[in-house]
Amino acid sequence: MGCTSAKTVAPEESSTKSEKVIRSAILIQKWYRRYMARLEMRRRCTWNIFQSIEYSGEQNQLKLYNFFADMLKQMKPDRTGQPKILRALSDNNRRPINCDVRTLEAEDAGLLLLSNPNDIEVGSHYNGMHLTFPLNQSQLQDLIQSFKTKKLLHAKYLLQLLHETRTLLKQKSNINRATISISKQITVCGDLHGKLDDLYMVFHKNGLPSVDNPYIFNGDFVDRGTNSVEISVILFACFLLNPNEVYINRGNHEDHIMNIRYGFVKEVNKKYSVYANGILRLFEDLFSWLPLATIIDDKVLVVHGGLSDTIDLDLISQLDRHKFLSTLHPSRSFDDENVTEVELMEWKQVLDLLWSDPRVQDGCLPNTFRGGGSYFGPDVTTMILDKYNLQRLIRSHECKVEGYEYTHNDKVLTIFSASNYYEVGSNKGAYLKLTGPDLSCHIVQYMVNKHSTKRKITFTKRISQVEKIAMRDLKRKILGCQSELITHFKSCDPENTGTISVIEWCNVLEGVMEMELPWRTMRPHLAKCDPSGAVLYNTSFSDMKLYHGSTESGHSITELLYRNKDSLETIFRIFDKDNSGTISMEEFEEALSVMINTQDISISHDQIIDIAHSLDLNKDGFIDFNEFLEAFRIVDPYGKDESKCMMSGDSETDSVGSDESERNTPSRKVDELKTRKISKLCDIQESEISEA
Amino acid sequence: MPYFVILINRFHLATEINNMAGADEQKENTDSLLADIQKRITDAFDIFDNENNKTVDVREVGTIIRSLGCCPSETELHDMLAEIEEEEPTGYIRFEKFLPMMTKVLMERRYKPLPEDQLLKAFQVLDHDNKGHLTQEDLAKYMSEDGEPFQQEEMEEMLSAAVDPEKGCILYKEYVSRMTIEEV
């Protein structure tokens, strides 16, 4: 390097030239790093929106549930005078009112009565897989293939498989003990949430479970996605084939009460119509037999949520896990007075294992963000791991951008296996391989890309796309609070100028929406400003209006219904015990009053009756609640873009009838006619949100 | 008192009042600017405050500063961090230290980004032969060898967005204008 003195370039010139290059390089680097920082900021904002929406849903669910629990507590066993919802709910939880001794045998018999596969014939039109038990490896492979072509497994086989799985699960202890002494490695898979493509991706990269290839599935394989049934079938088939190499931990979504809100109940209803009830009951019971945790070679604890400072693994290994049909309540009965201290303690253990999240600071607090479980600090992790002589905690439960995240000095590893969880491009999925005698961690990331094999899109584009969806979701939430927001905006604007300051705008949104978001940073996406920098607050609604296809009630009531759509759906489904999709007028009225009571909002009884009557289109006294829930429309009065708009935001499940003959039953035809009538009603007002 | 003295006094008084009014207005402007800037800083900080306890990871402070529109070099950033870090570094930066430092930086308009044409000029300097484009190898070499080098991941990300998919090289003029538009 130093011996180039022979060169004739004047040293001065060369140094200025290279200095110039360096200065230019720095300039570009500085600018590029700022550009990336801004992108990162946008990504964070987007993430905050998705997470806030998700967790506020979880909070509502618990609020609703606690509300029922409180009501039930006040009610005495005199069941005749009870509101219908309470009877429905306690039946749903099979309150052991008439049987003093709950025996497992009696329970098995009862369950079989509800879900006996032998009562079901496989029709000649059925074109899916035929299963014979015991299963073999080639049947598993055929199952995987048949689900790829969107074929449904017949109700008969599904029930058989669930019964087999349940019997085997019952023999397992609360804490699985896994070892890698033979296989030398083991794979841990986190939340899958009904996303079959992600499971297939894992199997594609990592192979099917076998004696040499053990797997731990760490809970939350159902809900949210559209293939919870198929994922369950494949996981259970793997488990039946390799009962000592496949470990399935329970997650907080392996719980009927969660399934009511988060889609699994809806999916089963759609796919199995008349058989749905039996299938759901069996799933509900099976979930309560899932082990709560797995320990690998006495070194690594794998659990869905996490820990708390009171976690006692000895207590956990002794309790009766089957007692917790739902983890949201301490016992099967709602008779809180008879819940003992011990029962409460056991319940807290289970709740903490399934619902907790780690936090960065020391200490342990109730998890108020989610509404259940604990936040545990690094000191809690160290204490519990040391107490049981463990090295590491592997947990899932939280979506992470990279599909995994280390915290607590690398002692806690979060692993999340559903890619594109919030939206296409929002996050990677990952699974974990533990190898060698010291169980070292190797993470494999992936992102399922269903639609295109195109060139990888850039970070920038991906963020813009995901951001757009997040803003759309947020705008819909805002629209649900329009009346209340306008009232508050106006109170900041006594002179009726149509403008308020940015700070006022942010305060109103934060107060009314009850979401702590960087409103100021997002403001340009949500509302316009005048040249002086004041917010033209009416632009917060982008000239959009919310309608309901079949009620003619006032705006604020439509908004109220829209805002609480998910909670209402939950209540409807609790009423709808036979899973028919319809409820009586009386039940509908009661559902609305329950919802209103939890919300601390006043609506007159007459208004409720009006809504109920306007929905009963064929005047038979029954209301199709799916129809009701799907009739919300967001309308742009200027009709910029007239196309259909799916309000629910979830993609439609492919409805494949298990048997052709089932699809054309008379009742179904009536339903179709009714739907057509309703959609005609809606067509007039249908229109796509314009994403200005 | 002679009349003209009174006049002059009045004149002085008037100017003084005038000046005072001006100062008030200016002060008001500064106050609202200050409030605005502090709100922006708080918002940006909160987005990275994962634990909701008014601290952020020291590794993310650079992102916060840059997302607020500043363009410091790595060295400058390092100096800023040194100013606000705890005496015994904890790996976290506290809001109460970050806010005054950042307020000062933004009020004084330090580390302002250069206009688009300066950025373009910088690319032109790297394009010795005035071809109007840079090859991937050229850009990668300059960015990861000169100045304050990019890590490999940073470099790959930059190239993935900068390289023209058809020509396979960096048409920097187009790239610069595309990137500056996207930011708005």
Side-chain angles (χ1 to χ4, degrees):
Chain A
M1 286 197 64
C3 357
T4 48
S5 51
K7 274 205 170 175
T8 50
V9 182
E12 238 176 61
E13 195 184 310
S14 109
S15 92
T16 48
K17 195 171 177 190
S18 68
E19 236 173 61
K20 234 177 152 181
V21 166
I22 290 174
R23 271 209 308 274
S24 301
I26 291 185
L27 197 147
I28 295 169
Q29 285 157 345
K30 270 161 54 169
W31 164 83
Y32 182 75
R33 282 182 172 134
R34 186 190 66 133
Y35 177 82
M36 291 310 281
R38 293 202 150 181
L39 270 186
E40 175 64 16
M41 184 61 92
R42 284 167 60 191
R43 192 185 63 74
R44 292 267 184 152
C45 284
T46 308
W47 196 257
N48 281 358
I49 296 173
F50 284 133
Q51 218 174 36
S52 291
I53 294 177
E54 179 185 5
Y55 287 176
S56 80
E58 278 185 10
Q59 264 181 358
N60 278 341
Q61 178 74 345
L62 271 152
K63 232 194 258 169
L64 195 65
Y65 195 77
N66 289 336
F67 176 80
F68 292 143
D70 283 349
M71 273 170 75
L72 286 164
K73 234 189 309 189
Q74 288 156 18
M75 298 295 158
K76 288 295 140 195
D78 166 29
R79 306 207 338 135
T80 44
Q82 270 185 12
K84 280 189 135 196
I85 181 84
L86 297 188
R87 261 177 282 151
L89 194 69
S90 40
D91 286 350
N92 230 7
N93 284 273
R94 269 173 274 142
R95 192 181 192 181
I97 250 179
N98 297 323
C99 53
D100 292 332
V101 190
R102 178 171 62 91
T103 62
L104 285 178
E105 289 77 18
E107 215 181 81
D108 284 358
L111 203 56
L112 192 63
L113 211 62
L114 272 167
S115 60
N116 195 341
N118 297 331
D119 295 345
I120 304 173
E121 289 294 315
V122 178
S124 55
H125 295 284
Y126 174 65
N127 61 358
M129 268 284 291
H130 292 270
L131 293 186
T132 50
F133 291 87
L135 287 179
N136 59 43
Q137 193 72 21
S138 81
Q139 287 198 73
L140 171 64
Q141 276 159 357
D142 291 347
L143 262 179
I144 291 175
Q145 278 311 317
S146 94
F147 289 154
K148 272 187 188 161
T149 55
K150 301 214 184 283
K151 289 204 176 90
L152 203 65
L153 185 64
H154 198 280
K156 184 187 180 78
Y157 300 128
L158 176 60
L159 287 172
Q160 274 180 325
L161 180 99
L162 293 177
H163 277 293
E164 296 272 330
T165 308
R166 180 173 172 273
T167 310
L168 195 56
L169 278 174
K170 281 168 80 172
Q171 299 164 16
K172 296 279 169 183
S173 37
N174 295 342
I175 302 178
N176 276 319
R177 297 276 169 175
T179 175
I180 65 157
S181 54
I182 300 167
S183 57
K184 306 295 170 212
Q185 53 95 11
I186 191 164
T187 304
V188 185
C189 202
D191 298 29
L192 286 161
H193 278 306
K195 289 169 151 288
L196 194 58
D197 293 325
D198 288 281
L199 179 63
Y200 283 179
M201 176 69 98
V202 175
F203 284 162
H204 171 75
K205 283 176 171 277
N206 197 52
L208 286 172
S210 68
V211 178
D212 301 319
N213 198 16
Y215 272 86
I216 299 171
F217 294 98
N218 199 21
D220 276 17
F221 43 93
V222 298
D223 273 344
R224 301 189 195 274
T226 52
N227 289 108
S228 297
V229 173
E230 287 71 22
I231 289 205
S232 305
V233 167
I234 291 179
L235 294 192
F236 295 157
C238 290
F239 171 63
L240 289 174
L241 283 167
N242 310 280
N244 298 314
E245 286 82 27
V246 171
Y247 308 90
I248 308 176
N249 290 342
R250 188 174 186 181
N252 64 320
H253 277 271
E254 276 71 57
D255 187 322
H256 185 68
I257 299 289
M258 295 298 280
N259 299 154
I260 286 176
R261 189 186 191 112
Y262 290 101
F264 185 47
V265 168
K266 198 174 172 182
E267 180 189 330
V268 174
N269 275 327
K270 228 171 191 168
K271 290 180 176 167
Y272 289 99
S273 55
V274 289
Y275 305 119
N277 193 36
I279 293 171
L280 284 168
R281 282 296 175 90
L282 189 50
F283 260 114
E284 179 185 10
D285 191 85
L286 183 152
F287 286 160
S288 70
W289 285 110
L290 287 171
L292 303 169
T294 302
I295 295 177
I296 312 167
D297 284 330
D298 295 322
K299 288 183 187 130
V300 174
L301 173 65
V302 186
V303 59
H304 180 72
L307 306 171
S308 74
D309 50 0
T310 54
I311 283 291
D312 180 345
L313 292 183
D314 301 320
L315 177 61
I316 290 167
S317 57
Q318 282 158 23
L319 56 79
D320 169 19
R321 68 174 183 275
H322 179 50
K323 209 163 48 178
F324 304 100
L325 210 49
S326 168
T327 60
L328 297 178
H329 204 264
S331 66
R332 286 184 167 227
S333 75
F334 277 88
D335 198 359
D336 277 10
E337 278 161 32
N338 292 337
V339 175
T340 61
E341 282 292 308
V342 179
E343 276 180 312
L344 272 180
M345 189 58 199
E346 289 181 349
W347 174 53
K348 188 178 181 302
Q349 299 282 328
V350 176
L351 205 59
D352 283 341
L353 286 182
L354 267 52
W355 279 84
S356 298
D357 293 319
R359 61 175 209 159
V360 174
Q361 302 108 301
D362 281 347
C364 195
L365 283 177
N367 193 333
T368 46
F369 201 31
R370 286 190 192 263
S374 299
Y375 280 125
F376 59 102
D379 56 335
V380 175
T381 299
T382 308
M383 179 186 81
I384 301 288
L385 290 184
D386 285 355
K387 184 172 165 192
Y388 296 100
N389 210 5
L390 298 162
Q391 295 168 355
R392 198 189 295 276
L393 169 71
I394 312 268
R395 43 91 60 179
S396 301
H397 196 40
E398 282 178 290
C399 180
K400 299 288 174 192
V401 186
E402 294 296 325
Y404 74 96
E405 192 177 279
Y406 281 102
T407 38
H408 293 184
N409 229 346
D410 296 351
K411 280 187 177 162
V412 176
L413 171 59
T414 300
I415 197 94
F416 193 88
S417 303
S419 63
N420 309 302
Y421 177 63
Y422 290 121
E423 194 46 59
V424 175
S426 68
N427 65 289
K428 289 179 187 155
Y431 63 87
L432 167 73
K433 273 191 104 71
L434 293 154
T435 54
D438 52 347
L439 292 169
S440 51
C441 295
H442 304 275
I443 285 152
V444 183
Q445 295 170 283
Y446 53 85
M447 200 161 198
V448 171
N449 190 351
K450 238 201 300 193
H451 304 293
S452 70
T453 44
K454 273 184 287 177
R455 203 170 73 90
K456 184 188 129 204
I457 55 166
T458 63
F459 191 51
T460 319
K461 279 202 188 126
R462 206 170 75 209
I463 286 178
S464 304
Q465 281 170 5
V466 180
E467 187 179 51
K468 220 167 134 183
I469 307 275
M471 290 300 168
R472 184 201 64 193
D473 291 356
L474 188 61
K475 276 182 183 165
R476 288 175 176 181
K477 289 256 162 204
I478 290 176
L479 216 55
C481 299
Q482 187 170 2
S483 304
E484 205 185 337
L485 283 168
I486 289 182
T487 313
H488 283 83
F489 287 148
K490 290 223 157 117
S491 71
C492 299
D493 177 28
E495 283 164 36
N496 220 356
T497 58
T499 60
I500 51 174
S501 75
V502 174
I503 291 181
E504 285 167 333
W505 183 86
C506 293
N507 289 341
V508 169
L509 274 139
E510 182 152 348
V512 173
M513 306 291 298
E514 290 178 356
M515 284 174 148
E516 264 187 55
L517 287 172
W519 293 105
R520 202 198 148 77
T521 315
M522 297 175 333
R523 200 272 312 149
H525 294 277
L526 299 171
K528 294 189 178 71
C529 275
D530 71 2
S532 77
V535 182
L536 298 154
Y537 54 80
N538 280 328
T539 59
S540 314
F541 314 105
S542 313
D543 303 324
M544 292 186 299
K545 281 211 165 62
L546 176 70
Y547 287 104
H548 189 272
S550 44
T551 61
E552 284 132 33
S553 15
H555 236 230
S556 56
I557 293 181
T558 311
E559 283 170 28
L560 177 78
L561 297 176
Y562 177 60
R563 258 203 317 275
N564 294 290
K565 209 171 142 259
D566 293 344
S567 296
L568 273 177
E569 181 169 357
T570 308
I571 305 172
F572 292 158
R573 289 200 189 282
I574 291 172
F575 273 129
D576 182 27
K577 273 174 294 173
D578 57 352
N579 291 306
S580 63
T582 57
I583 51 175
S584 73
M585 288 276 277
E586 230 185 319
E587 288 168 332
F588 181 83
E589 283 167 33
E590 200 182 309
L592 281 192
S593 6
V594 166
M595 197 259 315
I596 285 153
N597 279 331
T598 59
Q599 292 291 314
D600 199 25
I601 294 164
S602 59
I603 273 197
S604 75
H605 188 64
D606 290 348
Q607 278 174 311
I608 293 177
I609 293 177
D610 280 353
I611 298 172
H613 280 267
S614 66
L615 283 172
D616 179 24
L617 294 177
N618 54 357
K619 305 294 170 206
D620 63 353
F622 282 88
I623 291 166
D624 180 330
F625 63 79
N626 290 316
E627 205 167 82
F628 166 77
L629 293 165
E630 278 158 23
F632 286 102
R633 291 286 177 272
I634 287 180
V635 174
D636 170 4
Y638 302 110
K640 281 179 205 149
D641 188 355
E642 303 231 348
S643 51
K644 191 169 173 168
C645 139
M646 274 302 303
M647 285 309 310
S648 49
D650 49 14
S651 54
E652 283 295 284
T653 322
D654 291 316
S655 169
V656 190
S658 56
D659 203 314
E660 274 303 308
S661 57
E662 284 166 28
R663 302 190 69 185
N664 295 319
T665 54
S667 77
R668 202 171 259 273
K669 276 190 183 148
V670 173
D671 283 354
E672 277 172 20
L673 280 176
K674 252 167 58 184
T675 316
R676 243 175 265 153
K677 204 159 84 190
I678 271 261
S679 37
K680 243 191 174 168
L681 228 143
C682 305
D683 275 344
I684 312 160
Q685 296 172 329
E686 260 170 34
S687 153
E688 173 81 352
I689 301 182
S690 75
E691 312 271 6
Chain B
M1 209 187 280
Y3 185 65
F4 77 90
V5 176
I6 295 173
L7 254 186
I8 287 174
N9 275 350
R10 269 206 191 148
F11 175 74
H12 274 205
L13 199 66
T15 354
E16 214 155 87
I17 288 170
N18 256 343
N19 284 347
M20 271 169 66
D24 264 3
E25 205 173 278
Q26 219 172 4
K27 189 169 178 296
E28 209 170 273
N29 278 339
T30 320
D31 278 355
S32 79
L33 180 68
L34 185 71
D36 192 63
I37 280 178
Q38 296 207 324
K39 184 86 177 82
R40 272 173 56 204
I41 297 171
T42 315
D43 266 11
F45 191 92
D46 286 349
I47 291 172
F48 287 83
D49 176 12
N50 299 333
E51 306 308 312
N52 250 329
N53 65 347
K54 291 282 164 200
T55 62
V56 293
D57 192 309
V58 69
R59 287 165 296 187
E60 298 189 307
V61 176
T63 311
I64 302 177
I65 293 173
R66 288 178 169 129
S67 76
L68 285 164
C70 293
C71 262
S73 66
E74 288 290 281
T75 325
E76 287 162 338
L77 182 67
H78 194 83
D79 293 344
M80 289 162 99
L81 281 176
E83 197 183 320
I84 53 174
E85 218 162 15
E86 304 295 309
E87 278 172 24
E88 295 226 340
T90 55
Y92 287 86
I93 296 291
R94 287 187 298 143
F95 180 66
E96 54 198 87
K97 293 224 170 177
F98 182 74
L99 180 68
M101 184 277 294
M102 205 57 216
T103 310
K104 200 156 166 266
V105 166
L106 290 180
M107 289 298 274
E108 291 171 3
R109 297 168 174 275
R110 283 156 67 193
Y111 313 115
K112 271 276 158 201
L114 292 166
E116 194 183 320
D117 59 321
Q118 293 285 323
L119 184 63
L120 191 59
K121 266 188 199 148
F123 274 103
Q124 279 161 349
V125 168
L126 303 186
D127 176 19
H128 299 297
D129 311 326
N130 261 329
K131 292 179 298 217
H133 67 261
L134 290 167
T135 63
Q136 294 192 44
E137 295 73 30
D138 281 345
L139 186 67
K141 184 177 142 299
Y142 289 125
M143 291 299 109
S144 42
E145 286 175 16
D146 287 322
E148 299 176 316
F150 279 166
Q151 301 297 312
Q152 195 190 338
E153 208 177 311
E154 232 173 346
M155 195 59 243
E156 279 168 13
E157 186 51 49
M158 185 185 197
L159 285 176
S160 78
V163 173
D164 183 282
E166 274 158 33
K167 304 227 164 79
C169 62
I170 296 104
L171 306 168
Y172 52 81
K173 194 168 175 186
E174 188 204 287
Y175 174 62
V176 166
S177 59
R178 180 154 48 91
M179 297 288 266
T180 33
I181 286 167
E182 264 176 28
E183 276 206 65
V184 188

